[in-house]
Amino acid sequence: MILRRISQQATKPKDIRKVLSWTIHSYGDLKELQLMDTRIPIITDPDDVLVQVKAASLNPIDSFMLGGYGRTSFQMLRNFEVEFPLILGRDFSGTVIGKGHEVKELNIGDEVYGFLPPYKQGSFTKAVIASKHCVLSKPKNLNYAESAAVAYATMTAWSGLFIFANMINRPNKGLRVLVLGGSGGVGTAAIQLLKSQGCVVYTTCSKDAIPLVTSLNPDVIFDRGDPDFEKNVQLEGKYNIILDAAKVGIDNIPNSWQYESYVTLNSPLLVNNDKDGLVGGLIKSAGNLVAANASRICSGKTVRWGYVLPSNSGFKFIHELICQGKIRPIIQQQFGFKDLPLAMETLQKGHARGKIVLAEC
């Protein structure tokens, strides 16, 4: 009776019991990925949405988590539930096949897309459960693969810029923002997001990626391979925000560069927690952040650590921009669902040119 009240299933349990999923049973390399039958997720929360996955994209965090990145922090957020088998994958698109009784915005059969926090079971599966706050109707101007390519990367860019760089609380038009790593998934999303808000956008990429990045209409592109690269960035003057989407790291930012806020999306917090435990990691991380700011604050610079926040209002904000065509997906390569190891290998090679996507043919 309880489950009947909480959920509305599109099919009876006897009709669909198991789904194919890519799982890992321990941390390691690509050999840990196993394609196997898993039980279809059960709706236990009235806000849950059960989605038949048609496409999912790969994000760098998937590769990091395969190697054990964030395991200590994510286990705490999972309330120390059974860790394995673990399914990776942070975003998806597909159709609704079940929902909790508090989900009024979506109906069975609706085409949707969305994202999942890193501590939740992921989307490299044929059926996934997500909170209604992280699921919206699929943009009509995008197919499944394109929809899956924009959700998590754009939410990452939005979180870093609007929350941690505080763009949400100040006028954005005319802000001077430097995006490090403009050709990757987050970088391409960040450039488009910033341009939609009237910012002056500077970005970096390698020479061969310049045509792709140029198509996103940034104001200035710096070639990372130019012998005068550091000087060229310096000569453009002071930036309101530097968004590090390339894992450059604050210690590798030249002192000659002028900026108000530097936001990294790869802070040492989770790594510290993995190495030193939750308490030791938090203490070490606090020291890292204080030290990074102490040496720069006299110059008017601040260092901030950015994380993906599962914000419903943020997702709705970028959803409108996507529907208006102001943010478009950039897909580097598409693979079939059963080719995840090859797709992950491609991701690990780096030199990203947009997103890598798993999708049905």
Side-chain angles (χ1 to χ4, degrees), residues 186-229:
V186 174
T188 55
I191 291 171
Q192 296 178 85
L193 179 58
L194 290 163
K195 289 298 294 183
S196 75
Q197 303 306 298
C199 299
V200 181
V201 182
Y202 305 79
T203 191
T204 69
C205 66
S206 58
K207 186 174 182 178
D208 67 293
I210 289 178
L212 167 64
V213 176
T214 299
S215 71
L216 305 176
N217 298 313
D219 295 275
V220 178
I221 300 174
F222 300 110
D223 178 1
R224 274 193 330 231
D226 190 320
D228 295 322
F229 168 69

Side-chain angles (χ1 to χ4, degrees), residues 159-170 172 175 241 263 304:
S159 297
L161 292 166
F162 281 77
I163 301 301
F164 295 96
N166 201 35
M167 282 180 59
I168 200 168
N169 289 320
R170 59 174 168 173
N172 295 327
L175 279 180
I241 301 167
V263 180
R304 308 180 185 193

Side-chain angles (χ1 to χ4, degrees), residues 275-324:
K275 290 181 178 179
D276 302 311
L278 288 172
V279 175
L282 288 171
I283 293 172
K284 184 176 181 179
S285 297
N288 293 153
L289 188 57
V290 169
N293 278 283
S295 62
R296 295 170 177 84
I297 197 166
C298 290
S299 302
K301 302 174 180 178
T302 63
V303 176
R304 308 180 185 193
W305 296 349
Y307 305 92
V308 182
L309 296 181
S311 166
N312 181 250
S313 60
F315 193 21
K316 287 180 177 178
F317 175 75
I318 64 173
H319 174 73
E320 290 302 315
L321 296 174
I322 292 167
C323 292
Q324 294 167 12

Side-chain angles (χ1 to χ4, degrees), residues 56-62 89-91 124 148 335 339-348 354-358:
S57 83
L58 279 68
N59 294 277
I61 194 171
D62 298 315
R90 304 273 56 91
D91 46 20
F124 297 156
F335 292 85
D339 294 323
L340 175 62
L342 183 58
M344 189 73 78
E345 182 180 5
T346 303
L347 175 71
Q348 292 178 347
K355 296 300 296 296
I356 297 170
V357 178
L358 300 179

Side-chain angles (χ1 to χ4, degrees), residues 19-23 34-39 87 124-127 337:
V19 290
L20 272 178
S21 304
W22 280 102
T23 66
Q34 298 181 38
L35 183 60
M36 59 185 293
D37 285 330
T38 60
R39 289 187 178 184
I87 300 172
F124 297 156
T125 177
K126 290 298 185 178
F337 177 74

